[in-house]
Amino acid sequence: TEAENVYKKLVSEKAFDVIRGEHSSIVPGLIAQKLENSMADSIANVKHRNVKKMILKGVKAGTAAPLLTGARFYDVADRAMAFDVDVKWTSEVTATMDVVPEMGLLTDLGGDLGGLTRVPVMVHNVVFDGTIRVLMAELTREDPGYGAVVLSFPDPPQLSLDVRVLGGLEVNRV
């Protein structure tokens, strides 16, 4: 059937092959922008007894696009539908930040942090492998076509990342 042909084209060893030209260049950029905004908000409000402040310096997404490895559709109700998308993403995301320890060494930098030492931290080698469930409720013929969208993980995804401190010391592989 036509649906099976579309499915076979979408689920392949190539990331979203049907729309690869658009997907491969747009998705990492969109992810980086959203990730940078989210991380900036999150780390600005970090509360830890050993951390005075965290400052996001930048996020780079690279060019690696998520790989769609499977998809399933569920007819859950008259005006709702759900689908699962299996995703493997060996990203090129790199996030750099400075961490100001609560009791750090004074430097001659001055500024708004009173001259406290900043510790450079880099998060890299982020890998995601899991299923994302998308539930669309209150389907309608009017734009945008639904009343609500819920994203969830039916099972905990595999997530790994590396953390580098002081420009080279790998302190943690999560």
Side-chain angles (χ1 to χ4, degrees):
T1 68
E2 184 62 29
E4 289 173 335
N5 289 336
V6 170
Y7 177 83
K8 286 177 185 175
K9 288 179 183 175
L10 285 173
V11 180
S12 67
E13 290 300 313
K14 297 176 184 167
F16 291 81
D17 197 40
V18 172
I19 52 175
R20 186 169 180 77
E22 301 265 328
H23 171 265
S24 295
S25 60
I26 293 173
V27 170
L30 291 174
I31 291 170
Q33 182 180 12
K34 297 287 185 188
L35 189 59
E36 185 167 3
N37 293 341
S38 176
M39 286 183 71
D41 290 344
S42 296
I43 71 171
N45 298 311
V46 165
K47 303 267 190 274
H48 191 279
R49 61 186 172 93
N50 295 326
V51 176
K52 182 175 186 83
K53 186 173 184 176
M54 294 177 72
I55 306 148
L56 184 65
K57 294 172 70 177
V59 177
K60 294 180 182 174
T63 59
L67 177 66
L68 173 67
T69 60
R72 290 162 302 288
F73 174 79
Y74 305 102
D75 188 11
V76 293
D78 284 346
R79 296 184 57 211
M81 68 177 193
F83 53 94
D84 288 349
V85 180
D86 300 328
V87 177
K88 171 88 173 168
W89 187 31
T90 304
S91 79
E92 297 170 354
V93 169
T94 301
T96 54
M97 62 195 80
D98 284 340
V99 177
V100 179
E102 185 61 43
M103 297 189 66
L105 299 173
L106 291 177
T107 66
D108 58 1
L109 296 176
D112 63 338
L113 295 172
L116 291 176
T117 300
R118 296 178 183 201
V119 178
V121 175
M122 179 175 72
V123 176
H124 63 114
N125 295 335
V126 180
V127 177
F128 176 92
D129 189 358
T131 301
I132 301 169
R133 177 162 293 158
V134 180
L135 172 66
M136 299 175 79
E138 297 302 317
L139 298 175
T140 178
R141 293 189 187 276
E142 290 85 39
D143 285 339
Y146 52 87
V149 175
V150 177
L151 298 175
S152 64
F153 300 116
D155 296 305
Q158 297 293 315
L159 183 65
S160 65
L161 56 93
D162 293 340
V163 179
R164 182 174 291 167
V165 178
L166 298 171
L169 178 63
E170 293 285 342
V171 294
N172 195 14
R173 291 206 168 173
V174 181

